[in-house]
Amino acid sequence: MMFKKLLLLLALTSFSVSNAQIVINELDANTPSTDVKEFIELKTPAPFTALDGYVLVLFNGSSSGLTDISYYAVDLDGLITDGNGNILLANGLVSPSGSFTIPDGMVQNGPDAAAIYLGNADDFPINTPATTTNLINALVYSNSATTTATALMTALNVTVSYNENANAHADTESIQRKADGTYEVKAPTPRVNNDGSGIIYNGITTTFSPATTISEGQSITITFTTDIAVTSDLNFSVALNNASFNSSDFTGNLNITIPSGTSTASTVIQLLNDGVNDGDEEMKVTIGTVPSTYIILNNNNIIRVVDINFFTLPFGTPANPTYGNVSSTAPAGYYDSLEGKSGATLKQAIQDIIANPSVVRAHTYGDIINILKTADQNPLNSNQVWLIYTEQPRSKADYQTGSSIIGKWNREHIYCQSRGNYGDLYNLPPDGINVWSATGPDDIGAGLSDAHHLRAVDGQENSSRNNRNYGVDYNGPVATPTTTWKGDVARACFYMAVRYNGLNVVSGNPNENIIGQIGDLTTLLAWNHSDPKDDFEMNRNNYIYTWQVNRNPFIDYPDLVDYVFGANVGQAWFAALATNTFDVTKVVLYPNPAKDNITISGVTTDAKIEVFSTLGQKVFEQNFAGETSLHLNLTSGIYLAKITADSKTITKKLVIE
């Protein structure tokens, strides 16, 4: 991947050199009241220039130089400058309208900076330090003669900072670029050349109701609005076709007329329910040719069309798991060679099964997208995948194909790429289940596309996890913590540490530069018990087996983890040790009375404990497997602890002191 990124960077750099710089042409950060008329205008020397490969980044500066970091980034992919070489990014109330909408109040008043780079928005997550790497153009500004972002100027190699309040009219003036490359402050000229020359366009803006998503069987109103009233009838056509979405999916008028003397026209499009489960689709609203004095401000809008025809699966989501409905499809005798083995011999015997080069298959990284669409399918809706960490569904159609990760899902390496050092050997387009390569324990490259440790994940959460170690550094989303994924990642990490030579699960928080180490061992051992395997995890194990012809043995036998990595290392393994039986007569809670912690013994299978107050209110719930210690944090009193496993239930009185 890195090599390909370098090639792309070189290509973009060549483009930048041969096609002169894109510059920040005008900036209005300080506007009246609540800053709802901010804008940034960009300019290219040539008209109608595509801005693919560029990103606009806003940096927060200070006179002390303590905050020279990014706070907002906009991918410019898909945007094109007009016949004057201008393009406007603006708040919704700016007139004339912009081609891209910046949230109200987003552009800080200063001392700050706006900069254009080669790259993507995800190269500049919030709090990225200012840099000159791949920098194309930058404007450092303030709204006071006494405050200057000096450190930010140094970081961006800028020698002058411009004061929007130079004329004591910051609310009503903007910073504008002159022909010589310097800037002046005067009345704003959004979407118009700063010297008053050039074409004066009448812009056409497209809006939708509902705004971004519609279901089959519903209708959507598309409204077209010009900056000013047209002086003669404005006629144009609209196309909605996009990939599999076509004329059979809708009805409605696509020939639009904005009558003379008015500035708006609408059409109602009726989405059809075809009765077929063909997945969510995207309608692409594209305005055709318009007269040369008009400019289309926000063309090629994407509207999600939700397919209301879907099927469900007979088991729960990871957030609301079920147990025992999905059985392992491992062939008879698949694990027989493990019986009676221990220590390093047991670990080697497992590897001999799951990395057998005469049996196991490696597929491309492109194939993983299709694998995950089935392996991680939301049990409640076949048109969605289930996202690990955030534990939420998302449309399969929202797979990230561009540079933006917002609202998209992508592929998460649980044993992260930088720690595994998988390389790019298998980073190829999808070629299907019937095209594969033989692979063994030394084929570390296959780890790039080993579906047993790849999961569908929210793009932003994937970026947040990055290559952090579990438990000691990363514990999931901060805003909405979840725990039902923890056993899954533990068993995936242990699988990788056996499947591939050179990969290990270690204690603590190993440095990311130490190849072949991921942590934390103690945490992952605990997670293997606190979040037992569920039907979702077993189903994906079964499906991945159809592609790779190997399984994750720690899903089939979670207790096996302890015999390879945990408390039972050195003891002989027998499958009977993991037999799922629940004898209610052997279940013990201790200590009882307790303070904050209790231990449950006598349970050898996947189970769930629910604790109820004497008024019947559930005050605690957790899945577990095997002997488990729990922290309850309950007030003093008498409670009822209900333990369920194998369709059997036992309730015990629990006293908290």
Side-chain angles (χ1 to χ4, degrees), residues 546-577:
T546 66
W547 280 76
Q548 298 185 181
V549 200
N550 73 345
R551 303 182 63 82
N552 184 338
F554 304 117
I555 295 174
D556 292 329
Y557 291 110
D559 290 345
L560 186 58
V561 168
D562 293 325
Y563 286 79
V564 181
F565 299 95
N568 300 109
V569 169
Q571 300 178 24
W573 164 262
F574 295 95
L577 296 171

PDB file of all heavy atoms in Angstrom, residues 546-577:
ATOM      1  N   THR A 546     -15.343 -21.458   4.275  1.00  0.00           N
ATOM      2  CA  THR A 546     -15.669 -21.805   2.886  1.00  0.00           C
ATOM      3  C   THR A 546     -14.703 -21.144   1.908  1.00  0.00           C
ATOM      4  O   THR A 546     -14.521 -21.633   0.793  1.00  0.00           O
ATOM      5  CB  THR A 546     -17.112 -21.393   2.529  1.00  0.00           C
ATOM      6  OG1 THR A 546     -17.230 -19.960   2.545  1.00  0.00           O
ATOM      7  CG2 THR A 546     -18.108 -22.003   3.509  1.00  0.00           C
ATOM      8  N   TRP A 547     -14.092 -20.040   2.306  1.00  0.00           N
ATOM      9  CA  TRP A 547     -13.119 -19.346   1.457  1.00  0.00           C
ATOM     10  C   TRP A 547     -11.693 -19.834   1.726  1.00  0.00           C
ATOM     11  O   TRP A 547     -10.965 -20.185   0.816  1.00  0.00           O
ATOM     12  CB  TRP A 547     -13.173 -17.836   1.704  1.00  0.00           C
ATOM     13  CG  TRP A 547     -14.290 -17.116   1.020  1.00  0.00           C
ATOM     14  CD1 TRP A 547     -15.609 -17.104   1.373  1.00  0.00           C
ATOM     15  CD2 TRP A 547     -14.198 -16.278  -0.139  1.00  0.00           C
ATOM     16  NE1 TRP A 547     -16.342 -16.319   0.515  1.00  0.00           N
ATOM     17  CE2 TRP A 547     -15.501 -15.791  -0.422  1.00  0.00           C
ATOM     18  CE3 TRP A 547     -13.143 -15.884  -0.957  1.00  0.00           C
ATOM     19  CZ2 TRP A 547     -15.771 -14.937  -1.488  1.00  0.00           C
ATOM     20  CZ3 TRP A 547     -13.403 -15.019  -2.029  1.00  0.00           C
ATOM     21  CH2 TRP A 547     -14.706 -14.567  -2.286  1.00  0.00           C
ATOM     22  N   GLN A 548     -11.300 -19.811   2.988  1.00  0.00           N
ATOM     23  CA  GLN A 548      -9.909 -20.048   3.338  1.00  0.00           C
ATOM     24  C   GLN A 548      -9.589 -21.504   3.647  1.00  0.00           C
ATOM     25  O   GLN A 548      -8.416 -21.883   3.720  1.00  0.00           O
ATOM     26  CB  GLN A 548      -9.516 -19.167   4.535  1.00  0.00           C
ATOM     27  CG  GLN A 548      -9.619 -17.686   4.233  1.00  0.00           C
ATOM     28  CD  GLN A 548      -9.131 -16.788   5.367  1.00  0.00           C
ATOM     29  OE1 GLN A 548      -9.181 -15.576   5.259  1.00  0.00           O
ATOM     30  NE2 GLN A 548      -8.643 -17.374   6.462  1.00  0.00           N
ATOM     31  N   VAL A 549     -10.620 -22.305   3.875  1.00  0.00           N
ATOM     32  CA  VAL A 549     -10.476 -23.720   4.246  1.00  0.00           C
ATOM     33  C   VAL A 549      -9.600 -23.845   5.495  1.00  0.00           C
ATOM     34  O   VAL A 549      -8.780 -24.754   5.613  1.00  0.00           O
ATOM     35  CB  VAL A 549      -9.930 -24.564   3.080  1.00  0.00           C
ATOM     36  CG1 VAL A 549     -10.243 -26.040   3.311  1.00  0.00           C
ATOM     37  CG2 VAL A 549     -10.544 -24.143   1.745  1.00  0.00           C
ATOM     38  N   ASN A 550      -9.754 -22.908   6.406  1.00  0.00           N
ATOM     39  CA  ASN A 550      -9.234 -23.060   7.759  1.00  0.00           C
ATOM     40  C   ASN A 550     -10.179 -22.344   8.709  1.00  0.00           C
ATOM     41  O   ASN A 550     -11.019 -21.540   8.286  1.00  0.00           O
ATOM     42  CB  ASN A 550      -7.801 -22.539   7.884  1.00  0.00           C
ATOM     43  CG  ASN A 550      -7.693 -21.018   7.864  1.00  0.00           C
ATOM     44  OD1 ASN A 550      -8.632 -20.304   7.496  1.00  0.00           O
ATOM     45  ND2 ASN A 550      -6.536 -20.516   8.236  1.00  0.00           N
ATOM     46  N   ARG A 551     -10.061 -22.650   9.988  1.00  0.00           N
ATOM     47  CA  ARG A 551     -10.969 -22.102  10.972  1.00  0.00           C
ATOM     48  C   ARG A 551     -10.161 -21.399  12.064  1.00  0.00           C
ATOM     49  O   ARG A 551      -8.947 -21.602  12.186  1.00  0.00           O
ATOM     50  CB  ARG A 551     -11.821 -23.210  11.598  1.00  0.00           C
ATOM     51  CG  ARG A 551     -12.625 -24.008  10.593  1.00  0.00           C
ATOM     52  CD  ARG A 551     -13.493 -25.059  11.286  1.00  0.00           C
ATOM     53  NE  ARG A 551     -14.489 -24.453  12.164  1.00  0.00           N
ATOM     54  CZ  ARG A 551     -15.654 -23.959  11.750  1.00  0.00           C
ATOM     55  NH1 ARG A 551     -15.982 -24.019  10.456  1.00  0.00           N
ATOM     56  NH2 ARG A 551     -16.499 -23.433  12.604  1.00  0.00           N
ATOM     57  N   ASN A 552     -10.863 -20.596  12.846  1.00  0.00           N
ATOM     58  CA  ASN A 552     -10.264 -20.076  14.068  1.00  0.00           C
ATOM     59  C   ASN A 552     -10.602 -21.065  15.181  1.00  0.00           C
ATOM     60  O   ASN A 552     -11.740 -21.111  15.657  1.00  0.00           O
ATOM     61  CB  ASN A 552     -10.801 -18.695  14.406  1.00  0.00           C
ATOM     62  CG  ASN A 552     -10.127 -18.093  15.629  1.00  0.00           C
ATOM     63  OD1 ASN A 552      -9.564 -18.800  16.460  1.00  0.00           O
ATOM     64  ND2 ASN A 552     -10.186 -16.777  15.758  1.00  0.00           N
ATOM     65  N   PRO A 553      -9.627 -21.868  15.622  1.00  0.00           N
ATOM     66  CA  PRO A 553      -9.926 -22.909  16.618  1.00  0.00           C
ATOM     67  C   PRO A 553     -10.355 -22.334  17.959  1.00  0.00           C
ATOM     68  O   PRO A 553     -11.010 -23.022  18.751  1.00  0.00           O
ATOM     69  CB  PRO A 553      -8.597 -23.662  16.737  1.00  0.00           C
ATOM     70  CG  PRO A 553      -7.564 -22.688  16.301  1.00  0.00           C
ATOM     71  CD  PRO A 553      -8.205 -21.856  15.241  1.00  0.00           C
ATOM     72  N   PHE A 554     -10.001 -21.068  18.216  1.00  0.00           N
ATOM     73  CA  PHE A 554     -10.336 -20.469  19.501  1.00  0.00           C
ATOM     74  C   PHE A 554     -11.782 -19.981  19.552  1.00  0.00           C
ATOM     75  O   PHE A 554     -12.265 -19.564  20.606  1.00  0.00           O
ATOM     76  CB  PHE A 554      -9.349 -19.345  19.815  1.00  0.00           C
ATOM     77  CG  PHE A 554      -7.917 -19.802  19.795  1.00  0.00           C
ATOM     78  CD1 PHE A 554      -7.013 -19.282  18.880  1.00  0.00           C
ATOM     79  CD2 PHE A 554      -7.481 -20.796  20.662  1.00  0.00           C
ATOM     80  CE1 PHE A 554      -5.695 -19.719  18.850  1.00  0.00           C
ATOM     81  CE2 PHE A 554      -6.171 -21.244  20.636  1.00  0.00           C
ATOM     82  CZ  PHE A 554      -5.272 -20.713  19.726  1.00  0.00           C
ATOM     83  N   ILE A 555     -12.452 -19.990  18.409  1.00  0.00           N
ATOM     84  CA  ILE A 555     -13.902 -19.791  18.398  1.00  0.00           C
ATOM     85  C   ILE A 555     -14.592 -21.129  18.614  1.00  0.00           C
ATOM     86  O   ILE A 555     -15.551 -21.237  19.386  1.00  0.00           O
ATOM     87  CB  ILE A 555     -14.358 -19.144  17.077  1.00  0.00           C
ATOM     88  CG1 ILE A 555     -13.773 -17.734  16.946  1.00  0.00           C
ATOM     89  CG2 ILE A 555     -15.885 -19.094  16.986  1.00  0.00           C
ATOM     90  CD1 ILE A 555     -14.049 -17.068  15.619  1.00  0.00           C
ATOM     91  N   ASP A 556     -14.095 -22.156  17.952  1.00  0.00           N
ATOM     92  CA  ASP A 556     -14.670 -23.487  18.156  1.00  0.00           C
ATOM     93  C   ASP A 556     -14.448 -23.972  19.586  1.00  0.00           C
ATOM     94  O   ASP A 556     -15.317 -24.607  20.180  1.00  0.00           O
ATOM     95  CB  ASP A 556     -14.053 -24.478  17.162  1.00  0.00           C
ATOM     96  CG  ASP A 556     -14.470 -24.197  15.727  1.00  0.00           C
ATOM     97  OD1 ASP A 556     -15.600 -23.702  15.523  1.00  0.00           O
ATOM     98  OD2 ASP A 556     -13.666 -24.450  14.815  1.00  0.00           O
ATOM     99  N   TYR A 557     -13.273 -23.662  20.163  1.00  0.00           N
ATOM    100  CA  TYR A 557     -12.928 -24.066  21.523  1.00  0.00           C
ATOM    101  C   TYR A 557     -12.276 -22.891  22.255  1.00  0.00           C
ATOM    102  O   TYR A 557     -11.049 -22.813  22.341  1.00  0.00           O
ATOM    103  CB  TYR A 557     -11.970 -25.260  21.518  1.00  0.00           C
ATOM    104  CG  TYR A 557     -12.570 -26.554  21.041  1.00  0.00           C
ATOM    105  CD1 TYR A 557     -12.188 -27.096  19.819  1.00  0.00           C
ATOM    106  CD2 TYR A 557     -13.510 -27.237  21.806  1.00  0.00           C
ATOM    107  CE1 TYR A 557     -12.734 -28.283  19.369  1.00  0.00           C
ATOM    108  CE2 TYR A 557     -14.060 -28.437  21.373  1.00  0.00           C
ATOM    109  CZ  TYR A 557     -13.669 -28.952  20.149  1.00  0.00           C
ATOM    110  OH  TYR A 557     -14.216 -30.136  19.704  1.00  0.00           O
ATOM    111  N   PRO A 558     -13.040 -21.947  22.799  1.00  0.00           N
ATOM    112  CA  PRO A 558     -12.443 -20.803  23.490  1.00  0.00           C
ATOM    113  C   PRO A 558     -11.514 -21.190  24.634  1.00  0.00           C
ATOM    114  O   PRO A 558     -10.526 -20.502  24.903  1.00  0.00           O
ATOM    115  CB  PRO A 558     -13.664 -20.022  23.995  1.00  0.00           C
ATOM    116  CG  PRO A 558     -14.758 -20.388  23.035  1.00  0.00           C
ATOM    117  CD  PRO A 558     -14.510 -21.826  22.686  1.00  0.00           C
ATOM    118  N   ASP A 559     -11.816 -22.320  25.334  1.00  0.00           N
ATOM    119  CA  ASP A 559     -10.961 -22.742  26.444  1.00  0.00           C
ATOM    120  C   ASP A 559      -9.565 -23.116  25.975  1.00  0.00           C
ATOM    121  O   ASP A 559      -8.614 -23.121  26.766  1.00  0.00           O
ATOM    122  CB  ASP A 559     -11.590 -23.935  27.168  1.00  0.00           C
ATOM    123  CG  ASP A 559     -12.833 -23.547  27.950  1.00  0.00           C
ATOM    124  OD1 ASP A 559     -13.043 -22.341  28.155  1.00  0.00           O
ATOM    125  OD2 ASP A 559     -13.597 -24.443  28.341  1.00  0.00           O
ATOM    126  N   LEU A 560      -9.412 -23.410  24.683  1.00  0.00           N
ATOM    127  CA  LEU A 560      -8.113 -23.778  24.145  1.00  0.00           C
ATOM    128  C   LEU A 560      -7.102 -22.645  24.302  1.00  0.00           C
ATOM    129  O   LEU A 560      -5.890 -22.878  24.394  1.00  0.00           O
ATOM    130  CB  LEU A 560      -8.274 -24.166  22.670  1.00  0.00           C
ATOM    131  CG  LEU A 560      -7.070 -24.731  21.908  1.00  0.00           C
ATOM    132  CD1 LEU A 560      -6.527 -25.978  22.579  1.00  0.00           C
ATOM    133  CD2 LEU A 560      -7.458 -25.019  20.462  1.00  0.00           C
ATOM    134  N   VAL A 561      -7.588 -21.412  24.349  1.00  0.00           N
ATOM    135  CA  VAL A 561      -6.710 -20.251  24.529  1.00  0.00           C
ATOM    136  C   VAL A 561      -5.851 -20.412  25.777  1.00  0.00           C
ATOM    137  O   VAL A 561      -4.645 -20.151  25.769  1.00  0.00           O
ATOM    138  CB  VAL A 561      -7.544 -18.950  24.615  1.00  0.00           C
ATOM    139  CG1 VAL A 561      -6.683 -17.784  25.089  1.00  0.00           C
ATOM    140  CG2 VAL A 561      -8.167 -18.627  23.275  1.00  0.00           C
ATOM    141  N   ASP A 562      -6.478 -20.844  26.874  1.00  0.00           N
ATOM    142  CA  ASP A 562      -5.748 -20.947  28.136  1.00  0.00           C
ATOM    143  C   ASP A 562      -4.671 -22.024  28.095  1.00  0.00           C
ATOM    144  O   ASP A 562      -3.693 -21.950  28.845  1.00  0.00           O
ATOM    145  CB  ASP A 562      -6.723 -21.221  29.277  1.00  0.00           C
ATOM    146  CG  ASP A 562      -7.645 -20.042  29.546  1.00  0.00           C
ATOM    147  OD1 ASP A 562      -7.189 -18.891  29.390  1.00  0.00           O
ATOM    148  OD2 ASP A 562      -8.811 -20.266  29.893  1.00  0.00           O
ATOM    149  N   TYR A 563      -4.826 -23.022  27.228  1.00  0.00           N
ATOM    150  CA  TYR A 563      -3.845 -24.098  27.140  1.00  0.00           C
ATOM    151  C   TYR A 563      -2.666 -23.721  26.246  1.00  0.00           C
ATOM    152  O   TYR A 563      -1.627 -24.374  26.289  1.00  0.00           O
ATOM    153  CB  TYR A 563      -4.513 -25.371  26.614  1.00  0.00           C
ATOM    154  CG  TYR A 563      -5.399 -26.032  27.641  1.00  0.00           C
ATOM    155  CD1 TYR A 563      -6.676 -25.533  27.900  1.00  0.00           C
ATOM    156  CD2 TYR A 563      -4.965 -27.134  28.360  1.00  0.00           C
ATOM    157  CE1 TYR A 563      -7.499 -26.114  28.844  1.00  0.00           C
ATOM    158  CE2 TYR A 563      -5.778 -27.730  29.310  1.00  0.00           C
ATOM    159  CZ  TYR A 563      -7.047 -27.214  29.555  1.00  0.00           C
ATOM    160  OH  TYR A 563      -7.849 -27.796  30.499  1.00  0.00           O
ATOM    161  N   VAL A 564      -2.823 -22.667  25.455  1.00  0.00           N
ATOM    162  CA  VAL A 564      -1.740 -22.207  24.580  1.00  0.00           C
ATOM    163  C   VAL A 564      -1.099 -20.923  25.110  1.00  0.00           C
ATOM    164  O   VAL A 564       0.113 -20.739  25.001  1.00  0.00           O
ATOM    165  CB  VAL A 564      -2.262 -21.975  23.144  1.00  0.00           C
ATOM    166  CG1 VAL A 564      -1.138 -21.509  22.222  1.00  0.00           C
ATOM    167  CG2 VAL A 564      -2.893 -23.249  22.597  1.00  0.00           C
ATOM    168  N   PHE A 565      -1.912 -20.042  25.722  1.00  0.00           N
ATOM    169  CA  PHE A 565      -1.410 -18.732  26.130  1.00  0.00           C
ATOM    170  C   PHE A 565      -1.644 -18.414  27.608  1.00  0.00           C
ATOM    171  O   PHE A 565      -1.042 -17.470  28.113  1.00  0.00           O
ATOM    172  CB  PHE A 565      -2.091 -17.630  25.310  1.00  0.00           C
ATOM    173  CG  PHE A 565      -1.844 -17.709  23.835  1.00  0.00           C
ATOM    174  CD1 PHE A 565      -2.741 -18.354  22.992  1.00  0.00           C
ATOM    175  CD2 PHE A 565      -0.715 -17.136  23.279  1.00  0.00           C
ATOM    176  CE1 PHE A 565      -2.520 -18.415  21.628  1.00  0.00           C
ATOM    177  CE2 PHE A 565      -0.483 -17.193  21.916  1.00  0.00           C
ATOM    178  CZ  PHE A 565      -1.381 -17.840  21.087  1.00  0.00           C
ATOM    179  N   GLY A 566      -2.516 -19.148  28.290  1.00  0.00           N
ATOM    180  CA  GLY A 566      -2.958 -18.728  29.608  1.00  0.00           C
ATOM    181  C   GLY A 566      -2.588 -19.648  30.747  1.00  0.00           C
ATOM    182  O   GLY A 566      -1.532 -20.295  30.749  1.00  0.00           O
ATOM    183  N   ALA A 567      -3.501 -19.744  31.710  1.00  0.00           N
ATOM    184  CA  ALA A 567      -3.221 -20.417  32.977  1.00  0.00           C
ATOM    185  C   ALA A 567      -2.981 -21.909  32.834  1.00  0.00           C
ATOM    186  O   ALA A 567      -2.371 -22.522  33.724  1.00  0.00           O
ATOM    187  CB  ALA A 567      -4.392 -20.174  33.935  1.00  0.00           C
ATOM    188  N   ASN A 568      -3.433 -22.522  31.743  1.00  0.00           N
ATOM    189  CA  ASN A 568      -3.303 -23.974  31.594  1.00  0.00           C
ATOM    190  C   ASN A 568      -2.159 -24.394  30.676  1.00  0.00           C
ATOM    191  O   ASN A 568      -2.095 -25.553  30.250  1.00  0.00           O
ATOM    192  CB  ASN A 568      -4.617 -24.560  31.065  1.00  0.00           C
ATOM    193  CG  ASN A 568      -5.779 -24.296  31.989  1.00  0.00           C
ATOM    194  OD1 ASN A 568      -6.656 -23.505  31.683  1.00  0.00           O
ATOM    195  ND2 ASN A 568      -5.777 -24.924  33.157  1.00  0.00           N
ATOM    196  N   VAL A 569      -1.254 -23.466  30.370  1.00  0.00           N
ATOM    197  CA  VAL A 569      -0.110 -23.810  29.534  1.00  0.00           C
ATOM    198  C   VAL A 569       0.686 -24.936  30.199  1.00  0.00           C
ATOM    199  O   VAL A 569       0.978 -24.889  31.397  1.00  0.00           O
ATOM    200  CB  VAL A 569       0.796 -22.582  29.309  1.00  0.00           C
ATOM    201  CG1 VAL A 569       2.118 -22.994  28.667  1.00  0.00           C
ATOM    202  CG2 VAL A 569       0.095 -21.558  28.441  1.00  0.00           C
ATOM    203  N   GLY A 570       1.032 -25.945  29.422  1.00  0.00           N
ATOM    204  CA  GLY A 570       1.756 -27.099  29.946  1.00  0.00           C
ATOM    205  C   GLY A 570       0.864 -28.269  30.280  1.00  0.00           C
ATOM    206  O   GLY A 570       1.341 -29.401  30.434  1.00  0.00           O
ATOM    207  N   GLN A 571      -0.445 -28.012  30.386  1.00  0.00           N
ATOM    208  CA  GLN A 571      -1.390 -29.093  30.643  1.00  0.00           C
ATOM    209  C   GLN A 571      -1.870 -29.697  29.331  1.00  0.00           C
ATOM    210  O   GLN A 571      -1.956 -29.007  28.309  1.00  0.00           O
ATOM    211  CB  GLN A 571      -2.586 -28.583  31.446  1.00  0.00           C
ATOM    212  CG  GLN A 571      -2.227 -28.001  32.799  1.00  0.00           C
ATOM    213  CD  GLN A 571      -3.434 -27.469  33.542  1.00  0.00           C
ATOM    214  OE1 GLN A 571      -4.572 -27.892  33.291  1.00  0.00           O
ATOM    215  NE2 GLN A 571      -3.205 -26.533  34.461  1.00  0.00           N
ATOM    216  N   ALA A 572      -2.180 -30.975  29.350  1.00  0.00           N
ATOM    217  CA  ALA A 572      -2.637 -31.664  28.149  1.00  0.00           C
ATOM    218  C   ALA A 572      -4.057 -31.231  27.800  1.00  0.00           C
ATOM    219  O   ALA A 572      -4.916 -31.093  28.673  1.00  0.00           O
ATOM    220  CB  ALA A 572      -2.579 -33.169  28.348  1.00  0.00           C
ATOM    221  N   TRP A 573      -4.279 -31.023  26.519  1.00  0.00           N
ATOM    222  CA  TRP A 573      -5.599 -30.616  26.025  1.00  0.00           C
ATOM    223  C   TRP A 573      -6.401 -31.824  25.568  1.00  0.00           C
ATOM    224  O   TRP A 573      -5.894 -32.699  24.870  1.00  0.00           O
ATOM    225  CB  TRP A 573      -5.466 -29.646  24.859  1.00  0.00           C
ATOM    226  CG  TRP A 573      -6.747 -29.492  24.070  1.00  0.00           C
ATOM    227  CD1 TRP A 573      -7.084 -30.119  22.900  1.00  0.00           C
ATOM    228  CD2 TRP A 573      -7.869 -28.694  24.437  1.00  0.00           C
ATOM    229  NE1 TRP A 573      -8.340 -29.744  22.497  1.00  0.00           N
ATOM    230  CE2 TRP A 573      -8.853 -28.870  23.428  1.00  0.00           C
ATOM    231  CE3 TRP A 573      -8.136 -27.848  25.508  1.00  0.00           C
ATOM    232  CZ2 TRP A 573     -10.075 -28.230  23.476  1.00  0.00           C
ATOM    233  CZ3 TRP A 573      -9.357 -27.201  25.543  1.00  0.00           C
ATOM    234  CH2 TRP A 573     -10.318 -27.396  24.536  1.00  0.00           C
ATOM    235  N   PHE A 574      -7.658 -31.848  25.980  1.00  0.00           N
ATOM    236  CA  PHE A 574      -8.614 -32.826  25.483  1.00  0.00           C
ATOM    237  C   PHE A 574      -9.909 -32.073  25.186  1.00  0.00           C
ATOM    238  O   PHE A 574     -10.348 -31.236  25.985  1.00  0.00           O
ATOM    239  CB  PHE A 574      -8.871 -33.931  26.511  1.00  0.00           C
ATOM    240  CG  PHE A 574      -7.671 -34.776  26.795  1.00  0.00           C
ATOM    241  CD1 PHE A 574      -6.845 -34.477  27.876  1.00  0.00           C
ATOM    242  CD2 PHE A 574      -7.349 -35.854  25.976  1.00  0.00           C
ATOM    243  CE1 PHE A 574      -5.722 -35.244  28.135  1.00  0.00           C
ATOM    244  CE2 PHE A 574      -6.226 -36.631  26.228  1.00  0.00           C
ATOM    245  CZ  PHE A 574      -5.407 -36.323  27.311  1.00  0.00           C
ATOM    246  N   ALA A 575     -10.493 -32.342  24.042  1.00  0.00           N
ATOM    247  CA  ALA A 575     -11.709 -31.623  23.645  1.00  0.00           C
ATOM    248  C   ALA A 575     -12.802 -31.756  24.687  1.00  0.00           C
ATOM    249  O   ALA A 575     -13.633 -30.859  24.847  1.00  0.00           O
ATOM    250  CB  ALA A 575     -12.193 -32.130  22.292  1.00  0.00           C
ATOM    251  N   ALA A 576     -12.797 -32.872  25.419  1.00  0.00           N
ATOM    252  CA  ALA A 576     -13.825 -33.078  26.444  1.00  0.00           C
ATOM    253  C   ALA A 576     -13.757 -32.002  27.523  1.00  0.00           C
ATOM    254  O   ALA A 576     -14.749 -31.730  28.213  1.00  0.00           O
ATOM    255  CB  ALA A 576     -13.668 -34.454  27.074  1.00  0.00           C
ATOM    256  N   LEU A 577     -12.579 -31.347  27.653  1.00  0.00           N
ATOM    257  CA  LEU A 577     -12.444 -30.282  28.646  1.00  0.00           C
ATOM    258  C   LEU A 577     -13.338 -29.091  28.321  1.00  0.00           C
ATOM    259  O   LEU A 577     -13.645 -28.281  29.184  1.00  0.00           O
ATOM    260  CB  LEU A 577     -10.986 -29.819  28.713  1.00  0.00           C
ATOM    261  CG  LEU A 577      -9.964 -30.862  29.182  1.00  0.00           C
ATOM    262  CD1 LEU A 577      -8.553 -30.326  28.980  1.00  0.00           C
ATOM    263  CD2 LEU A 577     -10.203 -31.219  30.641  1.00  0.00           C
TER     264      LEU A 577
END
